[in-house]
């Protein structure tokens, strides 16, 4: 491998000749050989956005020449597009402020910008990092990445799943089945009603995530090192937020209190709490689906789901609910990530939180997994759910909890006696009720309407 010599305030460093990074990135690359978790590409993308926004703001405020602004913007565009991803090698397990990833962005954009300009006009600190500090850029990158992950990744996946559940509701209207509570038989419910519960879970999670966006759209940029805004021109914070908004199509604002923005990560905790809520709902939905599809002969077997691949290397013909299992594993990972996000956010000592890379890593992994998981579940499972009407009807009429319909006519205690007699003697509820003398056969038929029990208000 060929190398070139780069210099920083600590001396000279050998850097791979074909890479745009410089001395500070190389020091981090060599000093933190920890794990395989590279800084999320969403953060790299966000740094491209904020560095371009900062260049535009500095130019508009008279702090940067047009030549430098153009070179920075051109290089930043390549960062944003992902064309320079190979030049961002640093791992998550680095300095807790993310300083080295900020310098990675500064060095790459400076070297690539100089190449574009055809002259060495840009300095990583003096130009790319002008009016900034790692302490306000990394939390800004976190917020930009989080907003994009939610609005452009999670929301479309949620909308897709919501639309599928709404279609399934319409297709299964009027199909009544046995309800279940405590994994035991309960009173009847329409399958469409059951599905509507799944749909509203996703809709409510979307409402909660939407609520969390307000805090994420507040940017720390302009606070510089400790929140005072030292070395940033007046108006830079509002101008750079305006530029970030224009570049992303999202409405970002400058944080009113930069001291809070630098040291507290409560907006990330709040938003990830909504992600955890979504994970909990998806866990419940996926478990419902695989329980209802269990069988095919010795389980509940009330629904059919798509058969996507063989389920066993030893049992021929076995097919498993793999999409459900995948989604529940995603949910478990997100719940674990929530602990890491919360613990990391609690480490805001004095003027800075120094657990930001691990917070960003876990947050963005959760968002990515949830978005991908919902798309896969909808495409490969939910869209193909079909009711096993015969099995639903059989289970409905075999349920002892239909006796609940008799409460108004024979009372709770007599209804309980009826159910227990039917269960013990393996006879129908009608035979038990008539045999106990609580109702005549004709009256029983008059009041006992299982399908109507799912729509008591009609």
């Amino acid at each position: 491998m060929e190398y070139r010599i780069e210099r920083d305030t600590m001396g000279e460093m050998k850097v791979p000749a074909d890479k745009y990074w410089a001395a500070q990135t190389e020091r981090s690359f060599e000093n933190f050989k920890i794990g395989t978790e590279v800084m999320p590409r969403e953060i790299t993308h966000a740094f491209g956005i904020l560095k371009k926004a900062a260049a535009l703001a500095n130019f508009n405020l008279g702090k940067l020449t047009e030549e430098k602004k153009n070179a920075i913007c051109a290089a930043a565009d390549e960062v944003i597009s992902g064309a320079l991803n190979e030049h961002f090698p640093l791992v998550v397990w680095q300095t807790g402020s993310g300083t080295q990833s900020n310098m990675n962005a500064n060095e790459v954009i400076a070297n690539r910008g100089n190449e574009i300009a055809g002259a060495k006009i840009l300095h990583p600190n003096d130009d790319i990092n002008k009016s900034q500090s790692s302490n306000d850029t990394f939390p800004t990158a976190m917020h930009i990445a989080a907003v994009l992950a939610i609005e452009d990744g999670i929301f479309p996946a949620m909308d897709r799943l919501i639309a599928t559940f709404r279609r399934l509701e319409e297709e299964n209207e009027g199909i009544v089945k046995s309800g279940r509570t405590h994994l035991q038989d309960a009173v009847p419910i329409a399958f469409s009603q059951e599905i509507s519960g799944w749909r509203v879970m996703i809709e409510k999670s979307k409402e909660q995530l939407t609520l969390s966006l307000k805090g994420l759209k507040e940017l720390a940029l302009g606070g510089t090192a400790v929140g005072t805004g030292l070395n940033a021109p007046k108006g830079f914070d509002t101008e750079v937020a305006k530029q970030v908004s224009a570049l992303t199509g999202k409405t970002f604002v400058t944080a009113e209190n930069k001291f809070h923005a630098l040291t507290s990560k409560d907006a990330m905790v709040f938003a990830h709490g909504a992600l955890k809520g979504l994970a909990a709902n998806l866990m419940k939905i996926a478990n419902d689906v695989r329980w209802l599809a269990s069988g095919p002969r010795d389980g509940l077997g009330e629904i059919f789901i798509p058969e996507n691949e063989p389920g066993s290397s030893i049992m021929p013909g076995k097919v498993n609910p793999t999409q459900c299992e995948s989604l529940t594993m995603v949910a478990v990972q997100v719940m674990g990530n929530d602990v890491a996000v919360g613990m990391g956010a609690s480490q805001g000592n004095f003027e800075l939180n120094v657990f930001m890379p691990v917070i960003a890593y876990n947050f963005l992994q959760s968002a990515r997994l949830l978005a991908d998981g919902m798309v896969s579940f909808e495409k490969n499972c939910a869209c193909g759910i079909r009711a096993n009407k015969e099995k639903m009807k059989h289970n409905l009429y075999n349920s002892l909890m239909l006796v609940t319909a008799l409460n108004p006519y024979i009372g709770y205690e007599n209804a309980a006696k009826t159910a227990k007699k039917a269960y013990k003697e393996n006879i129908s509820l009608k035979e038990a009720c008539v045999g106990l003398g609580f109702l005549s056969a004709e009256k029983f038929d008059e009041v006992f309407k299982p399908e109507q029990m799912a729509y008591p208000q009609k």
Side-chain angles (χ1 to χ4, degrees):
M1 180 182 291
E2 295 184 1
Y3 294 90
R4 70 179 189 277
I5 300 299
E6 289 277 358
R7 296 169 180 82
D8 63 9
T9 58
M10 295 184 71
E12 296 184 345
M13 290 293 295
K14 289 173 59 179
V15 177
D18 61 342
K19 297 296 188 286
Y20 288 122
W21 72 71
Q24 291 199 44
T25 302
E26 185 64 26
R27 291 185 193 280
S28 179
F29 186 61
E30 293 182 10
N31 290 338
F32 296 94
K33 299 291 187 180
I34 303 173
T36 59
E37 295 83 6
V38 176
M39 189 64 67
R41 289 304 168 212
E42 296 94 333
I43 293 293
T44 303
H45 176 82
F47 264 113
I49 292 170
L50 78 87
K51 293 299 178 181
K52 181 175 182 178
L56 292 168
N58 279 317
F59 172 74
N60 290 342
L61 294 170
K63 300 298 181 180
L64 198 67
T65 67
E66 185 172 11
E67 182 185 23
K68 289 185 175 183
K69 181 260 294 183
N70 290 341
I72 293 172
C73 287
D77 281 339
E78 293 185 7
V79 173
I80 294 169
S81 73
L84 301 182
N85 280 350
E86 65 176 289
H87 303 276
F88 290 83
L90 302 186
V91 296
V92 170
W93 320 109
Q94 55 169 277
T95 177
S97 62
T99 298
Q100 291 145 357
S101 282
N102 178 47
M103 284 308 303
N104 189 179
N106 292 333
E107 291 175 345
V108 168
I109 292 173
N111 281 332
R112 176 60 181 142
N114 287 333
E115 190 175 71
I116 292 170
K120 195 169 184 178
I121 61 173
L122 299 175
H123 186 278
N125 298 80
D126 295 337
D127 298 308
I128 319 304
N129 204 57
K130 182 180 285 293
S131 310
Q132 306 151 64
S133 162
S134 298
N135 297 351
D136 66 349
T137 58
F138 200 90
T140 296
M142 288 170 64
H143 278 210
I144 293 171
V147 169
L148 295 178
I150 292 171
E151 291 196 345
D152 297 345
I154 290 180
F155 282 175
M158 297 177 89
D159 290 341
R160 179 172 173 170
L161 192 53
I162 289 167
T164 290
F165 285 149
R166 195 177 298 279
R167 172 179 62 78
L168 290 172
E169 284 177 67
E170 295 172 358
E171 292 175 358
N172 291 282
E173 179 65 35
I175 300 174
V176 178
K177 60 187 287 290
S178 178
R180 293 179 180 86
T181 58
H182 304 270
L183 293 181
Q184 303 294 306
D185 302 341
V187 296
I189 185 173
F191 187 36
S192 59
Q193 293 170 335
E194 193 167 45
I195 296 169
S196 76
W198 301 342
R199 171 179 54 80
V200 173
M201 284 181 182
I202 307 302
E203 291 175 341
K204 291 293 183 181
S205 287
K206 186 176 181 181
E207 290 176 10
Q208 291 157 8
L209 279 168
T210 300
L211 185 64
S212 76
L213 288 172
K214 182 178 184 296
L216 292 177
K217 288 183 175 179
E218 296 179 3
L219 302 182
L221 211 54
T224 66
V226 296
T228 60
L230 180 66
N231 290 346
K234 184 178 181 180
F236 175 78
D237 55 354
T238 55
E239 179 63 21
V240 79
K242 175 183 173 182
Q243 296 299 331
V244 171
S245 299
L247 291 172
T248 61
K250 318 293 182 186
T251 305
F252 288 94
V253 298
T254 189
E256 183 177 350
N257 187 303
K258 304 300 192 300
F259 309 105
H260 165 266
L262 266 61
T263 196
S264 175
K265 302 298 137 219
D266 51 8
M268 297 290 283
V269 174
F270 185 65
H272 198 277
L275 294 180
K276 182 177 72 172
L278 172 60
N281 280 337
L282 291 172
M283 173 75 85
K284 192 270 183 197
I285 292 167
N287 277 333
D288 280 359
V289 169
R290 65 174 169 178
W291 270 105
L292 290 171
S294 61
R297 290 186 173 177
D298 295 336
L300 295 179
E302 290 192 345
I303 64 173
F304 301 108
I305 59 175
E307 298 182 348
N308 299 320
E309 61 273 317
S312 173
S313 61
I314 189 173
M315 293 175 281
K318 195 174 193 298
V319 180
N320 296 328
T322 51
Q323 288 295 320
C324 298
E325 293 165 7
S326 175
L327 191 58
T328 53
M329 285 194 289
V330 164
V332 167
Q333 184 64 54
V334 172
M335 292 174 190
N337 288 351
D338 192 67
V339 176
V341 170
M343 290 294 292
S346 72
Q347 303 303 306
N349 304 124
F350 301 113
E351 278 64 61
L352 185 68
N353 178 285
V354 291
F355 282 66
M356 288 189 286
V358 74
I359 293 172
Y361 175 78
N362 282 276
F363 188 104
L364 293 169
Q365 184 193 54
S366 292
R368 194 182 316 117
L369 288 175
L370 287 167
D372 290 349
M374 283 187 289
V375 168
S376 181
F377 180 73
E378 188 281 329
K379 176 183 177 182
N380 299 304
C381 182
C383 70
I385 290 175
R386 294 182 294 113
N388 185 342
K389 299 178 184 178
E390 293 75 17
K391 190 63 180 290
M392 285 183 176
K393 185 173 183 179
H394 173 269
N395 288 344
L396 173 65
Y397 277 83
N398 199 43
S399 173
L400 295 175
M401 288 306 99
L402 295 178
V403 77
T404 306
L406 303 180
N407 284 0
Y409 305 97
I410 64 176
Y412 180 91
E413 292 189 7
N414 286 340
K417 291 177 182 178
T418 299
K420 290 179 179 179
K421 179 179 176 64
Y423 180 66
K424 183 177 180 180
E425 299 179 14
N426 195 26
I427 60 177
S428 68
L429 288 172
K430 180 177 180 179
E431 290 172 315
C433 185
V434 173
L436 288 168
F438 295 145
L439 290 175
S440 66
E442 293 75 20
K443 184 64 175 177
F444 183 93
D445 290 339
E446 179 185 334
V447 302
F448 189 76
K449 305 289 185 184
E451 282 78 11
Q452 294 180 11
M453 292 173 69
Y455 304 98
Q457 306 303 321
K458 289 188 177 180

